Amino acid sequence: MGKERLKQFSSLNLADEARREDDVQDKNNVQTQNSPLPNNQLSGGLLGWYSVISSKSLEKGKLYSFSMYNEPLILYRDKDSQPKCIKDLCPHRGSSFIGGQIVGDELICPYHGARYSSTGECTNLDRITCQHIVDSNYDNYAKKIHLYQYPAIEKNGYIYIYYNGKANTNLNDFDIKSSVEDSYIESYGFKTSEYEYEEVTVDFKCDWTRIIENHLDILHIFWVHGNTIPDKDVNRNIITSFNQKIIRDTNQIESKYNHKDKEKGEFITIKFIPPGRIVIYKGSPDTARYVQVLDHVPLAKNRARVVVRHYRKFMKNKLLTKLILFRQLQQRIFYKVFSEDYMILKTQTFNQQMGYVEKDNVKLLGEDKMVQYYWDWLQNALINDNPWQLHPTDTHTNAVHHDMPMLYPPENKTLSKRNDNNILINLIIRALIPIGLIMLLI
Ligand code: FES
Ligand SMILES: [Fe+2]
């Protein structure tokens, strides 16, 4: 897989004009003895900290099933509500924990009832091995039965896991090579305490890097979402009216877009923070009224999840927000925007998997520079980490997990329908209240 991907975009060239600015920047970024990387190269790879789900989706007492790079995993909360992430494999006979339970502090396997403590030890070995009747090798066995885990932490309403493709029975055995703080938007100057936010989680049947490219790609916003995103600047007529400046350092790639014809016309800033976070905002981090955070999760070869959060400094009055159904209407926009992207991402993934998105078949524009830099990073990261080889599988061997319900349309329209019904019911109630009052007065 890694090698296949390496071929992609290998001969793509940016327009000369677009290169010039970065050539100057590259000359200034000379590698020094103290820094292992030139400061225009991202230090993080594909294995590292991922924000995989929002905190509120991880309810206490429930098992949350997902996967990373094809590897099935389970998230749950222990009795202190701390998030736990384990490989979805019971170390007794390899059952999945889907259908299992959490009782007190223990995870119970649905197959033979093995119970595991929050540190991963099996707490009822004597009963599941029937040691007094059958198994004479109890002590040896006891040493082997332990959950396979990944480090998980909760911060700012997100669950982060450290994914390196090799679950350990002891969390202390992880050699953690990247800092989770680099993902926090607070590290970039945003004060999240000053914002309210809306959020949705969306599943796509497509390659996860196609989605990341989509969110780094400013051109398509005007074209694909021009009638949906409520922004006076987003329409098909102003596509070429801004300048782009890209800044790269060891933690992020940042692309700033400015209006060409307005003095202080900063249009938008897009940051890519590896391995899967994108932050989009206007203005500077300390003044931005609105910040969009998109987390991309590589579930499987042809399946990806995005957790989208929109922070806002406006509409903070809770009563007013409720009254005008702000949250539901915002969610409706999210769903519409992702539906607009979905068809393109799905068919583009097909083209990529068929090998069409290679060499001379595609040519990037200067405006695609952000995508090119993302690909530069991705190609190196695939060589170094080769994550798709850690749990290789194809759509057939992964069928069980592909059959599991997706969190969002087009495959599963439940969430958007529920949201639409919610809006409708609330509107009817609002219409009935004044009518009822008038009737009473009459
Ligand atoms: S497979 Fe889990 S208890 Fe047997
Ligand atoms: Fe889009």
Side-chain angles (χ1 to χ4, degrees), residues 131-172:
Q131 56 151 330
H132 305 295
I133 309 165
V134 181
D135 198 331
S136 57
N137 202 12
Y138 178 86
D139 286 343
N140 237 352
Y141 185 74
K143 284 181 204 141
K144 289 183 196 155
I145 191 159
H146 198 291
L147 292 176
Y148 302 103
Q149 312 176 70
Y150 287 102
I153 60 163
E154 184 168 18
K155 175 82 180 172
N156 287 341
Y158 289 108
I159 309 292
Y160 292 86
I161 66 162
Y162 183 78
Y163 188 78
N164 66 355
K166 293 180 194 109
N168 268 316
T169 53
N170 186 345
L171 288 175
N172 295 326

Side-chain angles (χ1 to χ4, degrees), residues 80-309:
D80 301 321
S81 285
Q82 294 305 308
K84 313 290 301 173
C85 180
I86 58 163
K87 189 180 180 82
D88 187 14
L89 177 105
C90 176
H92 171 223
R93 285 256 306 281
S95 166
S96 161
F97 285 102
I98 295 171
Q101 300 169 53
I102 310 275
V103 174
D105 195 24
E106 293 182 321
L107 170 66
I108 306 177
C109 175
Y111 202 1
H112 310 98
R115 289 173 176 253
Y116 298 94
S117 73
S118 61
T119 50
E121 285 96 18
C122 184
T123 53
N124 65 334
L125 248 185
D126 52 344
R127 274 189 286 152
I128 72 155
T129 59
C130 303
Q131 56 151 330
H132 305 295
I133 309 165
V134 181
D135 198 331
S136 57
N137 202 12
Y138 178 86
D139 286 343
N140 237 352
Y141 185 74
K143 284 181 204 141
K144 289 183 196 155
I145 191 159
H146 198 291
L147 292 176
Y148 302 103
Q149 312 176 70
Y150 287 102
I153 60 163
E154 184 168 18
K155 175 82 180 172
N156 287 341
Y158 289 108
I159 309 292
Y160 292 86
I161 66 162
Y162 183 78
Y163 188 78
N164 66 355
K166 293 180 194 109
N168 268 316
T169 53
N170 186 345
L171 288 175
N172 295 326
D173 289 346
F174 277 90
D175 177 18
I176 295 185
K177 295 202 166 93
S178 57
S179 163
V180 65
E181 278 86 11
D182 288 343
S183 306
Y184 299 165
I185 64 168
E186 289 78 0
S187 313
Y188 299 88
F190 297 99
K191 293 195 185 82
T192 46
S193 57
E194 294 176 357
Y195 294 85
E196 292 290 325
Y197 65 82
E198 276 78 43
E199 178 182 271
V200 292
T201 302
V202 184
D203 285 354
F204 292 86
K205 277 193 180 171
C206 72
D207 183 274
W208 84 298
T209 56
R210 302 275 82 76
I211 308 178
I212 293 181
E213 282 170 32
N214 179 270
H215 292 142
L216 296 176
D217 167 21
I218 196 156
L219 290 180
H220 92 284
I221 296 177
F222 305 93
W223 194 255
V224 178
H225 310 304
N227 297 327
T228 307
I229 293 179
D231 187 321
K232 65 178 170 31
D233 290 330
V234 176
N235 63 69
R236 295 180 180 194
N237 302 324
I238 63 159
I239 285 179
T240 55
S241 67
F242 52 82
N243 289 318
Q244 180 185 25
K245 183 174 185 333
I246 294 195
I247 301 158
R248 294 184 288 167
D249 64 32
T250 49
N251 291 335
Q252 58 166 335
I253 306 172
E254 182 183 272
S255 182
K256 278 189 181 299
Y257 300 88
N258 287 279
H259 286 289
K260 275 183 178 166
D261 49 355
K262 288 186 199 163
E263 220 174 278
K264 292 201 297 177
E266 182 168 340
F267 175 64
I268 206 167
T269 299
I270 303 180
K271 279 180 193 298
F272 170 66
I273 304 164
R277 178 164 273 187
I278 289 175
V279 183
I280 303 174
Y281 60 97
K282 278 185 185 179
S284 62
D286 55 333
T287 59
R289 291 179 74 235
Y290 180 80
V291 186
Q292 191 174 346
V293 180
L294 302 116
D295 285 298
H296 304 78
V297 187
L299 298 177
K301 195 173 171 187
N302 198 31
R303 186 162 166 139
R305 181 160 292 172
V306 187
V307 182
V308 186
R309 185 178 288 185

Side-chain angles (χ1 to χ4, degrees), residues 331-349:
Q331 259 170 244
R332 195 178 205 198
I333 294 171
F334 289 156
Y335 290 146
K336 186 152 189 290
V337 166
F338 285 117
S339 292
E340 287 166 352
D341 281 328
Y342 194 82
M343 178 192 68
I344 290 162
L345 296 174
K346 206 169 171 175
T347 49
Q348 190 193 24
T349 296

Side-chain angles (χ1 to χ4, degrees), residues 22-42:
D22 284 297
D23 287 346
V24 174
Q25 189 187 339
D26 289 346
K27 277 178 198 146
N28 295 332
N29 288 324
V30 181
Q31 193 165 354
T32 65
Q33 272 186 332
N34 294 336
S35 73
L37 286 169
N39 61 6
N40 65 348
Q41 284 183 29
L42 294 168

